[in-house]
Amino acid sequence: MHLDLLTLYGLAIGTLLVSAAMTLWERQARPERSTALGIWAGGYALLAAGCGLAIARTHLPAPGGWALSNLVILSGYLLILNGIGHVNGRRYGQLSAGILAVVALVWAAGGFANQAMFWNYWSAFPIALACGLAARELLRDGPLRSMRSLPLPVAITGGHAIFYAFRSLVLPVLVAHHGGDILPAVGEATLYEGVLYSVAMPMALLALVREEAQGHLLAASRTDFLTGLGNRQRFFEEGVPMLRGDAPLSLLAFDLDHFKTINDRWGHAAGDEVLKSFARVAREIVGKDALLVRLGGEEFAALLPGEDSWGAQQVGEAVARRLAATGNGEDGRIRATVSVGVAEYGVDGSDLQTLMSTADRALYAAKAMGRNRTAFARPLTLVTHA
């Protein structure tokens, strides 16, 4: 089926307006990305307006209609770039204004004498630049870099950049060798490709935003709200894969001593502060490679890759000493201690559930021996004071 240029322009305008509306609708459900979504919606609306101006460009004073259409369309692409940059924490406002100023000056300087050449060739270059910068920004370090759906918008905007670079740099050479008869076909191909872009790029960016939101929800479901540590679900999801290979690995089980007494005497808000204080102390000492979680209440656990039971014992004692020396509350009068149980993978158990049971027995032994200490749950249990 053959579609004339006016129909293709109409399709592009319609899909861009629908994309703008869908993006604004998504904005209501994604407040953390409301600015970027709003910028993208504005970009799609400008692209639609630019297509409308392109239809009417021959009815406006030359070369005003041609230049205005090019500038409005370019502004739409630059807004899409700015929305992507906003997500990554980078700004392109000054660069965008500079590009628009240069394009406007070039149209003013040479557009009257060469409006057809400018429209067919030169006007494509800044669009290729804007789309190329958008693809580059998507690939730079930022929250979007880890998204599984990232290759899709990179391919779409990168392909769009290549197509417009072809129009700007290669098409003039082809026309010089083969004549201007190929221009109508290229113009039709431009609109077909533009319709595809107007559908695919908004959907790809929405997919990124939704994947990011899904990731946040998943992370929240695996995170303890009070302390910011992982929770029991995360412990089993990430802990089981850690029990592989021959490298040493140990488990520390923590239980804050007399925590109910702290709550009863100082109140639950003070108890929460103690829990957060322990989380900060433990996170600092166990290191970034350890899997540290709050199992529930005043119970915590840490998987320590690369540590045998003796090394884990030293880590547990360091946590206990630091916590005992840390004052809590407004005047620092609330003091807390912790009992710690140690279990080593391959020695005290070969699966996570067994290691937890073994570490719990060691924890009970530490409490039976007077609390504020670290213990093993083996025959001839070695108990050391923190």
Side-chain angles (χ1 to χ4, degrees):
M1 180 179 65
H2 177 76
L3 300 177
D4 59 55
L5 293 182
L6 186 61
T7 301
L8 289 172
Y9 269 121
L11 282 173
I13 293 170
T15 54
L16 285 166
L17 291 177
V18 170
S19 295
M22 291 181 63
T23 303
L24 288 175
W25 182 266
E26 188 76 17
R27 187 170 181 255
Q28 301 178 46
R30 303 283 180 262
E32 71 282 1
R33 290 295 176 219
S34 61
T35 300
L37 288 164
I39 294 172
W40 289 333
Y44 306 145
L46 279 179
L47 289 175
C51 289
L53 287 169
I55 296 173
R57 68 185 184 276
T58 58
H59 302 289
L60 298 173
W66 306 70
L68 183 60
S69 175
N70 181 215
L71 288 168
V72 172
I73 290 173
L74 176 59
S75 298
Y77 286 114
L78 289 171
L79 277 183
I80 294 171
L81 166 64
N82 277 269
I84 296 170
H86 186 276
V87 173
N88 285 342
R90 285 180 279 269
R91 299 180 181 274
Y92 287 87
Q94 291 184 351
L95 176 63
S96 299
I99 292 173
L100 287 171
V102 170
V103 172
L105 288 173
V106 172
W107 270 106
F112 282 97
N114 303 287
Q115 65 182 23
M117 183 189 72
F118 273 40
W119 180 261
N120 290 324
Y121 312 132
W122 191 86
S123 66
F125 182 77
I127 294 175
L129 177 62
C131 292
L133 288 172
R136 175 177 175 268
E137 183 60 39
L138 285 167
L139 291 172
R140 294 178 70 183
D141 288 336
L144 300 180
R145 184 71 181 273
S146 61
M147 300 293 106
R148 186 175 58 88
S149 55
L150 180 64
L152 184 58
V154 171
I156 293 169
T157 191
H160 206 57
I162 292 171
F163 182 85
Y164 274 82
F166 165 84
R167 272 193 53 185
S168 177
L169 303 175
V170 180
L171 183 58
V173 178
L174 294 178
V175 171
H177 283 80
H178 302 285
D181 292 341
I182 64 173
L183 285 175
V186 173
E188 188 171 333
T190 299
L191 281 175
Y192 273 114
E193 196 270 345
V195 170
L196 291 175
Y197 176 91
S198 69
V199 175
M201 190 62 180
M203 296 302 100
L205 291 176
L206 286 180
L208 278 180
V209 171
R210 289 170 179 171
E211 183 182 350
E212 182 187 37
Q214 184 179 13
H216 289 164
L217 290 174
L218 179 61
S221 72
R222 301 163 71 241
T223 302
D224 176 60
F225 177 78
L226 179 64
T227 63
L229 301 179
N231 58 16
R232 182 180 290 270
Q233 178 182 347
R234 181 180 177 187
F235 186 63
F236 281 95
E237 286 181 356
E238 297 187 11
V240 171
M242 294 173 68
L243 305 183
R244 295 172 183 167
D246 299 326
L249 182 143
S250 295
L251 171 66
L252 294 178
F254 302 95
D255 190 281
L256 295 177
D257 299 325
H258 302 297
F259 186 70
K260 184 178 184 301
T261 302
I262 293 175
N263 275 333
D264 291 342
R265 180 179 179 184
W266 302 98
H268 288 280
D272 289 347
E273 288 302 315
V274 170
L275 291 171
K276 290 189 283 187
S277 178
F278 171 81
R280 288 192 296 269
V281 167
R283 178 76 279 168
E284 181 179 342
I285 293 176
V286 302
K288 63 180 181 179
D289 293 331
L291 175 59
L292 176 65
V293 302
R294 182 187 179 195
L295 296 174
E298 66 272 25
E299 298 178 4
F300 297 79
L303 274 173
L304 308 178
E307 297 285 359
D308 60 14
S309 56
W310 302 103
Q313 176 197 22
Q314 300 301 312
V315 173
E317 290 180 347
V319 171
R321 283 195 301 270
R322 178 78 64 83
L323 181 66
T326 301
N328 297 280
E330 293 183 0
D331 53 7
R333 287 192 298 164
I334 305 175
R335 298 283 175 165
T337 61
V338 65
S339 297
V340 188
V342 182
E344 182 179 349
Y345 172 64
V347 177
D348 299 309
S350 57
D351 60 80
L352 191 54
Q353 193 64 54
T354 303
L355 278 179
M356 289 184 65
S357 298
T358 305
D360 279 341
R361 289 199 303 272
L363 180 61
Y364 298 143
K367 287 186 175 293
M369 293 296 293
R371 295 180 171 82
N372 190 27
R373 62 191 64 215
T374 302
F376 298 98
R378 301 178 191 168
L380 301 177
T381 300
L382 174 63
V383 179
T384 59
H385 288 275

